[in-house]
Amino acid sequence: MKGLPARAWALALLLPVGFAGVWRLQRKINAARDAMRQEQDEVLVRSPKLMKTLTGEYATLAADIYWTRAVQYYGGKQLGQDTNLESLWPLLDLATTLDPHLIPVYRFGATFLGEPEPRGAGRADLAVKLLERGIDANPEVWRLNQDLDGSRKPGAAVWMKVMAARFLEKGESRETSVMLWSEVYESSRDEALKENARINLELLRADEDMEHINAIAEQFAKQFGRQPRSMREMAASGMIGGEPLDPMNYPYVLGADGQAQVSQKSPLFKQQKTYRRPLP
């Protein structure tokens, strides 16, 4: 070992560093390749007619799946600051072919398509095409005609975003709803609309808070064999740091079922009844 030349010693020291660099580079390449494969898999079968034949009696269920994928695809791209939405139309095309009566796809899919880049696909032509398809398949749904007229007018995207945000405000699409409400709040000059967006953002934040509290309440129940009786009891157990407050700075409360609720003293208690009404 003592007789090894300096060049050999240098090589021995540099090899591990080189292998580590190659390993990190390969990981990045694999991640990029997997992301591309995942996006391609979203619309692996691009022929709506073929998919309708393959799904048979389960076509309407498949339509729901493709609509959900379209929403997640749009939200994932926006949240990741990726403005490439080229797979959006194929997903919407598949959903509406599999189930021509799935009204939300026409109404909210047109919003995602028609919005200028980077907030949407920048394809007003496809938005109009989608709505026209919806009108042909559902002539009795007058709101589609209203959406079509609105989509051709400047500034129409704001109120269409409001409808889309309300539709997406629960479940896996909550992040997309937050993004849309935030855009309405930031871009609208109408004070009433801005206030509407602000309240909905606070309600969405409260939803997320209560989900975290309920998860901690489940841990409490596993540890103590019963549901917690109050937030103070959970705080005393050390599982939460003090009593958590809602966006209006009122403490959350626990219901009889042990689930977190907005306090009746909080302004959000009345607002959630007004702003969480079912869509017409």
Side-chain angles (χ1 to χ4, degrees), residues 13 17 20 23 30 34 70 97 103 116 124 128 179 182 197-198 224 230-231 235 266 270:
L13 292 172
V17 177
W23 179 76
N30 291 340
D34 292 343
T97 301
I103 305 302
V128 170
M179 178 193 68
S182 297
R198 182 189 65 79
F224 297 100
S230 66
M231 290 292 178
S266 173
K270 292 182 179 179

Side-chain angles (χ1 to χ4, degrees), residues 32-153:
R33 184 182 59 198
D34 292 343
M36 290 176 64
R37 185 182 297 123
Q38 182 178 358
E39 181 169 327
Q40 292 168 355
D41 288 346
E42 292 289 346
V43 282
L44 185 60
V45 180
R46 285 181 176 260
S47 171
K49 290 183 180 179
L50 175 59
M51 180 57 71
K52 193 171 182 67
T53 302
L54 292 173
T55 54
E57 61 182 305
Y58 300 104
T60 55
L61 176 60
D64 289 333
I65 293 172
Y66 274 105
W67 168 231
T68 301
R69 283 188 179 182
V71 172
Q72 293 172 340
Y73 173 76
Y74 174 79
K77 290 285 186 177
Q78 295 295 308
L79 293 168
Q81 303 301 314
D82 185 349
T83 58
N84 179 8
L85 292 168
E86 63 181 23
S87 294
L88 182 59
W89 168 252
L91 288 167
L92 298 173
D93 188 22
L94 280 163
T96 52
T97 301
L98 292 169
D99 185 358
H101 307 298
L102 195 57
I103 305 302
V105 183
Y106 302 111
R107 302 202 68 195
F108 309 129
T111 303
F112 303 155
L113 285 168
E115 272 287 85
E117 295 178 341
R119 294 181 176 178
R123 294 297 305 270
D125 58 328
L126 292 179
V128 170
K129 180 179 179 179
L130 184 67
L131 288 168
E132 288 177 339
R133 178 188 294 185
I135 292 169
D136 289 342
N138 307 275
E140 75 286 357
V141 183
W142 61 270
R143 290 187 181 278
L144 293 175
N145 285 283
Q146 184 185 61
D147 292 346
L148 181 60
D149 291 338
S151 68
R152 291 170 171 159
K153 298 176 182 177

Side-chain angles (χ1 to χ4, degrees), residues 17-31:
V17 177
F19 282 130
V22 170
W23 179 76
R24 285 195 294 269
L25 178 60
Q26 187 62 48
R27 285 192 64 185
K28 290 182 179 180
I29 293 172
N30 291 340

